[in-house]
Amino acid sequence: MNRLSTSNKLWLLLKPVLGYLGVVALFWLAFFEFFRFLFMLINWAKTDGLPSSDVALSFVYGLRFDASITGYLIMLFAVLVALGLFVVPLRNLFKGLTLFSAVLVVPLSGFLMANGFLYSFWGYHFEASALHFLEDPQLVLASLSLLQIVLFPLVLILISWGIIWLLLRLTKRFQHTDYPAVYWPMGILRTLFVLLLGGVMIIPVRGGTGIAPLNTGMAFFSSHLFANHLALNPVWNFAYSTKRLKATTITYKFMEDEQAQSVFDGLMTQSGDFPKVLKSDRPNIIVVMLESFSAHAIELLGGVNATPNIKALQHESIFFTNMMAASDRSGKGMVAVICGHPVLPSFSIINYPQKTQTLSFVPQELRVNGYHDQAFLYGGDLGFNNFNSLVTMAGFNRVITEKDFDPSQMSDKWGAHDEFVFHRLLQEIGSQQQPFFNMFFTLSSHEPFTVPMEQKFEDKYLNSICYTDQCLGDFISQAKQEAWWDNTLLVLIADHGHAGPDKVSVDNKKRFHIPMIWTGGALAVKDTIIDKPATQIDLAATLLAQLNITSGDFKFSKNLFDRQNAGFSFYDFADGFGFARGNHFQVYDNQARRFIRYEGETIATDTIAGKAILQIMSNDNQQR
């Protein structure tokens, strides 16, 4: 009878603690489920074609990640309760913990809302590796429209207020109840049970009692990438990614290095037999890297006709219609174009100058072969994403940035509008010695897609592309009137692709399908389509071969005119890659450790080709 009485007393003492922690746990689970729903609404376009069953399962699978974060919080709360039981009245403890939860609501709500908007641009959750974007908040805000910037804090305040109000209502009875004082030995027993409860939270924290702890791969239950991302808790994902902050040390190994090298060498084999498409070995060269240009906006590549001036070039140019971006960010695209070098999924080498300086640079190769006048033009801040270090190392002897333009020529976000930078390019060429090499990186088609042109397309992305295309058309029309045009090769290539109006995900190759066009008076071959699979990386070897300059230092770049090499494309994203060869395309996710998309005929060698390339890239990085 005495034992039963003791048990009852202990239960009565534990009941308010267990009740409070239970209510708080349910609150946080509901909190994350609510923001999962909000995330889906923000990115509603990505649910097109997504089965409703997968949407429902996203919320079910997501509970495991929500429970992990909640488990951490309850573990902390249990420890605080255990420590404070002998010092502070229980109701005051509850008040303090409720206040702590209320304080957490605001930053977590802000993070989850911001992640939802960033996902609509990037196609993946915000990770620790992207923290360098926060070094200059103004440049981050430049990706958002004025309406988004104004609405964000207002919506955040309203949502946070509502959530905190709900929290206070749920915990009100625990904060306004008098609990009896507890003395030894019952107080000690209660404390031990509370600590034990905190220890039990290791189960949801780890994602269960299995051997393998919770990892991002456990969110990949669907063939639809967005459903998997919807299941993944962004806060958990960010915390998980912090363990990978030392991204340069990440290695990818799928097979023995000898096998990987053999597969890679087979892919890169070239005969050296290729046609000459230029009239001379030393033409003037202009490379225009087009911000976010993708197949979505180019009719010849299967998109809408938002680029009539590019379309008009078809019969006087060489169109590379099967070109893929090497990755998904501007800094990575610059490395691919300027250095003919790939970038790993885990980090962008442009942010590590100590490694970038070990790369080969196309401008440097051209300089030692007679191209002494070299200008790089960018209407924005070249300090963004470490662009300046790459441009400096590349050896451009003249750099034009936003500082060189009148305030009246500037946009309200990124910098000078493209029309003014194109005009400046014409001025620069007028004072240069031939042969020259110039590179211009456009920016008007960057988010938030604000351009000084009458709206021609309802979609702002397509409208901004149309504006830059118009500027490009004006530039070519004026350039054709200059004497230097007859000996000039103009290369048009994008820095990366875009989700487009359809908001395609990173496992869809349309996301990375970009244009590359060779045009200009220096072309000996015109009205030609090259359908060989390729990436921006291949521009280096292809261009240098036409100039009779060796490209041996660009070991990842292949000559697209080589008659023996059938070509392939390889691109990567947050932590995965896509590989295409012939009519076969596949996407592999390194976190899920499996292929998440197959298209076309699959042959045995293709199932390891992408892995072999990534392993060789990884080994190369470790040696730099």
Side-chain angles (χ1 to χ4, degrees), residues 29-323:
L29 288 173
F31 173 88
F32 289 120
E33 286 288 289
F34 166 78
F35 276 100
R36 179 170 287 109
F37 180 75
L38 186 60
F39 175 85
M40 182 177 66
L41 293 182
I42 294 173
N43 295 277
W44 184 254
K46 296 183 183 296
T47 64
D48 186 34
L50 186 63
S52 56
S53 59
D54 278 15
V55 173
L57 285 173
S58 295
F59 285 80
V60 175
Y61 276 82
L63 275 173
R64 197 174 184 183
F65 295 89
D66 301 343
S68 180
I69 295 292
T70 301
Y72 277 112
L73 291 173
I74 299 303
M75 185 184 296
L76 173 62
F77 284 11
V79 171
L80 292 175
V81 169
L83 293 176
L85 279 173
F86 296 106
V87 180
V88 181
L90 194 54
R91 67 174 183 177
N92 290 346
L93 268 179
F94 292 154
K95 287 181 179 179
L97 294 178
T98 300
L99 177 61
F100 180 66
S101 288
V103 170
L104 280 179
V105 163
V106 179
L108 288 179
S109 298
F111 176 87
L112 290 166
M113 284 179 57
N115 175 78
F117 285 112
L118 287 173
Y119 185 93
S120 66
F121 298 138
W122 295 356
Y124 50 85
H125 291 300
F126 187 80
E127 293 188 334
S129 60
L131 284 173
H132 65 274
F133 284 108
L134 302 181
E135 293 174 359
D136 193 335
Q138 287 186 327
L139 291 176
V140 175
L141 291 174
S143 293
L144 303 175
S145 67
L146 179 61
L147 181 63
Q148 289 173 322
I149 294 173
V150 172
L151 285 180
F152 184 90
L154 296 177
V155 174
L156 174 60
I157 290 171
L158 288 174
I159 289 179
S160 298
W161 179 86
I163 293 173
I164 292 172
W165 176 85
L166 177 62
L167 173 65
L168 295 176
R169 292 284 297 176
L170 291 173
T171 60
K172 182 178 180 180
R173 65 187 179 92
F174 297 99
Q175 300 178 51
H176 295 85
T177 302
D178 287 323
Y179 298 98
V182 181
Y183 303 100
W184 187 91
M186 299 304 295
I188 295 296
L189 287 175
R190 182 173 65 173
T191 299
L192 292 176
F193 269 95
V194 173
L195 288 175
L196 178 62
L197 174 64
V200 171
M201 288 299 103
I202 195 65
I203 296 176
V205 163
R206 292 189 75 258
T209 57
I211 297 175
L214 190 62
N215 60 75
T216 51
M218 295 177 182
F220 285 77
F221 70 95
S222 171
S223 59
H224 297 269
L225 190 62
F226 180 71
N228 302 324
H229 286 170
L230 183 60
L232 197 59
N233 183 302
V235 177
W236 185 94
N237 183 67
F238 179 82
Y240 183 80
S241 69
T242 59
K243 297 189 297 184
R244 301 181 297 153
L245 268 178
K246 294 184 178 179
T248 56
T249 64
I250 294 177
T251 59
Y252 297 93
K253 189 173 180 65
F254 304 95
M255 62 197 78
E256 294 299 322
D257 286 341
E258 293 77 10
Q259 181 185 6
Q261 190 64 55
S262 176
V263 173
F264 179 74
D265 291 343
L267 291 168
M268 297 299 296
T269 298
Q270 300 178 86
S271 65
D273 178 21
F274 59 92
K276 292 283 289 183
V277 301
L278 300 179
K279 295 176 182 177
S280 71
D281 289 344
R282 292 296 178 271
N284 304 311
I285 302 170
I286 303 171
V287 176
V288 178
M289 193 160 68
L290 301 161
E291 170 68 56
S292 300
F293 266 54
S294 72
H296 300 290
I298 301 172
E299 191 173 37
L300 186 63
L301 301 182
V304 301
N305 187 22
T307 51
N309 289 285
I310 286 181
K311 181 181 180 180
L313 295 174
Q314 179 176 350
H315 299 299
E316 56 187 82
S317 309
I318 300 175
F319 266 68
F320 296 81
T321 57
N322 208 353
M323 176 69 60

Side-chain angles (χ1 to χ4, degrees), residues 256-515:
E256 294 299 322
D257 286 341
E258 293 77 10
Q259 181 185 6
Q261 190 64 55
S262 176
V263 173
F264 179 74
D265 291 343
L267 291 168
M268 297 299 296
T269 298
Q270 300 178 86
S271 65
D273 178 21
F274 59 92
K276 292 283 289 183
V277 301
L278 300 179
K279 295 176 182 177
S280 71
D281 289 344
R282 292 296 178 271
N284 304 311
I285 302 170
I286 303 171
V287 176
V288 178
M289 193 160 68
L290 301 161
E291 170 68 56
S292 300
F293 266 54
S294 72
H296 300 290
I298 301 172
E299 191 173 37
L300 186 63
L301 301 182
V304 301
N305 187 22
T307 51
N309 289 285
I310 286 181
K311 181 181 180 180
L313 295 174
Q314 179 176 350
H315 299 299
E316 56 187 82
S317 309
I318 300 175
F319 266 68
F320 296 81
T321 57
N322 208 353
M323 176 69 60
M324 304 288 281
S327 195
D328 53 2
R329 305 301 302 173
S330 296
K332 294 182 176 183
M334 286 184 67
V335 170
V337 172
I338 295 177
C339 305
H341 193 80
V343 286
L344 289 169
S346 54
F347 78 104
S348 179
I349 197 171
I350 195 174
N351 294 312
Y352 299 84
Q354 69 276 19
K355 287 183 175 288
T356 310
Q357 65 187 11
T358 67
L359 299 176
S360 298
F361 299 89
V362 171
Q364 289 183 359
E365 290 292 331
L366 296 178
R367 179 173 296 282
V368 299
N369 285 277
Y371 289 82
H372 300 301
D373 265 334
Q374 300 186 358
F376 184 93
L377 294 89
Y378 180 61
D381 181 2
L382 207 59
F384 178 68
N385 203 23
N386 232 23
F387 289 172
N388 53 351
S389 67
L390 184 71
V391 170
T392 301
M393 293 177 193
F396 289 96
N397 63 333
R398 181 136 175 78
V399 177
I400 308 296
T401 69
E402 62 178 358
K403 299 176 182 178
D404 299 291
F405 294 91
D406 189 87
S408 63
Q409 300 172 328
M410 307 292 285
S411 69
D412 58 349
K413 293 294 181 182
W414 285 104
H417 292 295
D418 286 346
E419 59 185 286
F420 301 112
V421 189
F422 268 117
H423 180 69
R424 182 59 180 266
L425 175 57
L426 284 171
Q427 291 180 327
E428 289 298 314
I429 294 173
S431 62
Q432 287 180 315
Q433 180 182 351
Q434 301 185 48
F436 54 75
F437 173 73
N438 295 323
M439 186 170 179
F440 167 29
F441 185 11
T442 70
L443 57 70
S444 292
S445 47
H446 194 290
E447 298 102 355
F449 312 122
T450 303
V451 294
M453 181 186 75
E454 181 182 352
Q455 192 90 7
K456 294 184 178 181
F457 287 85
E458 183 178 351
D459 183 86
K460 294 185 68 176
Y461 163 70
L462 292 178
N463 196 66
S464 68
I465 294 288
C466 185
Y467 165 73
T468 297
D469 174 78
Q470 177 179 292
C471 299
L472 173 65
D474 292 342
F475 168 78
I476 292 176
S477 296
Q478 297 176 60
K480 285 181 176 179
Q481 301 174 27
E482 303 294 334
W484 49 262
W485 176 257
D486 289 337
N487 189 41
T488 296
L489 169 67
L490 174 62
V491 178
L492 308 175
I493 190 168
D495 62 332
H496 54 74
H498 193 271
D502 296 332
K503 305 299 181 184
V504 297
S505 59
V506 292
D507 65 332
N508 190 323
K509 60 184 176 183
K510 290 182 180 179
R511 177 68 177 257
F512 294 86
H513 192 188
I514 62 171

